[in-house]
Amino acid sequence: MTRARALADAALPDLPVLPGGGVLGHLRAMAAAPHSFPATALQAHDGIVALRLGPRRIAAIGRPDLAREVLVTRADRYPRGRINRNLGAVIGDGLLATEGDLWRARRRRMQPSFRADRLGPVAAATEAAVAATTRRWTDGAPIDAGREAQRIAMRVIGRVLLSIDIADGQGGAFADAVQACLAQLMRRNWSLVRWPLWVPVPVNRAVNATRRTLEEFLGIELDRRLAGAPQPDDLLAALIRGRPEDPPLPRAALLNELKTLFAAGFETTATALTWLLHLLARHPAVAEALREEAAPVLGGRAPLPGDLPRLPLAAAVVEEAMRLYPPVYNMGRDCAAEDALGGYRIPRGTTVLVSIFGIHRNPALWDAPEEFRPGRFLGAGAAARRNLLPYAWGRHQCIGNHFADLELVVALLHIVQRVRLDPLETAPVGLRGRTTLVPDRPIRLRPVPQR
Ligand code: HEM
């Protein structure tokens, strides 16, 4: 029987709606804790429940089998919708905000540059960025892990994307602007009234101002290249060139892809690295084990992409950090044609929220889900990866996944081999669901040089 027949024949029940919430439904709770509110609700409802956001109902899912249906097996029925379109307000029609033929053509054009065997420049750029950062860590002064991680991630994306050095002051101001704008967009995701961008309400003014800053900054290098400046071996050159069979892209399209790669590649990795620094400081035995693993493989040199298979603990530490603290903690899709999920009817037009945080912290899937245990991915535990999706699954799986893994492993190993990070506070660190999942306060650490 076809799926359509099955749907028509079996009068499937509507999704149960999570009780509670007043006239505005669960809007307030979602705004306060967009990572943990759906995750907690999902645990009590077998991984699927409807949330009320004002007049709208969205379907939240927190089970890997359902996430696979939405993202992989029935991805055609669940294209990107409202949430990614909203991002498009700033980054334009790039790889992260589009679907269909436009998305497919761009993905094919860009995919070769992100293959694991093409990422030597990422390792080199990361090593240089981390070395420049840790050189300043010798006077015993405390560091703010988030700021340092941003500095590293900004330098790496500047170098790999555009072959430019983003200076610290400029990078910090720019990072703040991008983050403030993404935060405004987050609010726009769930707000009841969404003004078109030309209406000069405060949120739109902020979004438009950041878009202009981003476009001016990236446009300078783009215009130099389009005017015939030499093309170094970087992502911008690969984007302009395309594959032999690709048509040339107009400036506006190139700018959109540049904005996309910049925004998608900067804040996510900066957040992941912030948490890694925090975890290293809280788990000195893991830092020591990483040093022991790295010494015979690297002999003091920086890791290259081909070294990763021989550094399983480093890979497991990165995976476990992103299981506990997935930088992208929710993903949205819109149901394009009536469907069934988990035995419930999903009406056409329903926004489906995949709670990555909920899946990563589900006690039915993980032993002691709140604990940092990289060993769960080693040896026989490797199978646990089937429930891990920090980079999503399916056709929209992050194009930068190998890039980010490599950047994080190179940064991690550089740091553990040179410094010990001591926490300055021992109280637990809380979580804030912003554009990415960030700590609720600055994480202050004291770097102690290692011999
Ligand atoms: C730890 C770091 C990262 C995490 C956790 C992450 C996570 C994700 C996730 C969950 C998606 C799917 C979003 C959706 O479909 O709605 C995605 C897509 C994407 N990411 Fe990443 N990402 C990371 C790093 C990067 C880097 C370094 C780049 C590029 C330099 C990048 C570029 C992209 C692009 C272009 C897409 C859209 C892919 C497509 O739809 O074809 N990301 N990422």
Side-chain angles (χ1 to χ4, degrees), residues 152 218 241 354:
I152 292 168
L218 297 170
R241 197 173 52 238
V354 180

PDB file of all heavy atoms in Angstrom, residues 152 218 241 354:
ATOM      1  N   ILE A 152      40.297  32.426  17.424  1.00  0.00           N
ATOM      2  CA  ILE A 152      40.878  31.347  16.606  1.00  0.00           C
ATOM      3  C   ILE A 152      39.972  31.063  15.403  1.00  0.00           C
ATOM      4  O   ILE A 152      40.423  31.026  14.259  1.00  0.00           O
ATOM      5  CB  ILE A 152      41.080  30.072  17.465  1.00  0.00           C
ATOM      6  CG1 ILE A 152      42.166  30.321  18.517  1.00  0.00           C
ATOM      7  CG2 ILE A 152      41.430  28.867  16.588  1.00  0.00           C
ATOM      8  CD1 ILE A 152      42.266  29.257  19.600  1.00  0.00           C
ATOM      9  N   LEU A 218      33.015  41.495   3.149  1.00  0.00           N
ATOM     10  CA  LEU A 218      33.326  40.391   2.231  1.00  0.00           C
ATOM     11  C   LEU A 218      33.409  40.886   0.787  1.00  0.00           C
ATOM     12  O   LEU A 218      34.156  40.337  -0.022  1.00  0.00           O
ATOM     13  CB  LEU A 218      32.269  39.293   2.354  1.00  0.00           C
ATOM     14  CG  LEU A 218      32.201  38.634   3.737  1.00  0.00           C
ATOM     15  CD1 LEU A 218      30.974  37.730   3.849  1.00  0.00           C
ATOM     16  CD2 LEU A 218      33.455  37.825   4.033  1.00  0.00           C
ATOM     17  N   ARG A 241      35.633  29.713  -9.410  1.00  0.00           N
ATOM     18  CA  ARG A 241      36.003  28.829 -10.526  1.00  0.00           C
ATOM     19  C   ARG A 241      34.921  27.777 -10.780  1.00  0.00           C
ATOM     20  O   ARG A 241      34.575  27.484 -11.915  1.00  0.00           O
ATOM     21  CB  ARG A 241      37.323  28.151 -10.146  1.00  0.00           C
ATOM     22  CG  ARG A 241      38.083  27.508 -11.279  1.00  0.00           C
ATOM     23  CD  ARG A 241      39.453  27.025 -10.798  1.00  0.00           C
ATOM     24  NE  ARG A 241      39.373  26.182  -9.615  1.00  0.00           N
ATOM     25  CZ  ARG A 241      39.999  26.439  -8.449  1.00  0.00           C
ATOM     26  NH1 ARG A 241      40.744  27.502  -8.317  1.00  0.00           N
ATOM     27  NH2 ARG A 241      39.874  25.610  -7.424  1.00  0.00           N
ATOM     28  N   VAL A 354      13.460  19.485  14.860  1.00  0.00           N
ATOM     29  CA  VAL A 354      14.268  18.327  15.275  1.00  0.00           C
ATOM     30  C   VAL A 354      15.149  18.790  16.430  1.00  0.00           C
ATOM     31  O   VAL A 354      15.999  19.669  16.256  1.00  0.00           O
ATOM     32  CB  VAL A 354      15.153  17.822  14.111  1.00  0.00           C
ATOM     33  CG1 VAL A 354      15.993  16.627  14.549  1.00  0.00           C
ATOM     34  CG2 VAL A 354      14.305  17.472  12.900  1.00  0.00           C
TER      35      VAL A 354
END
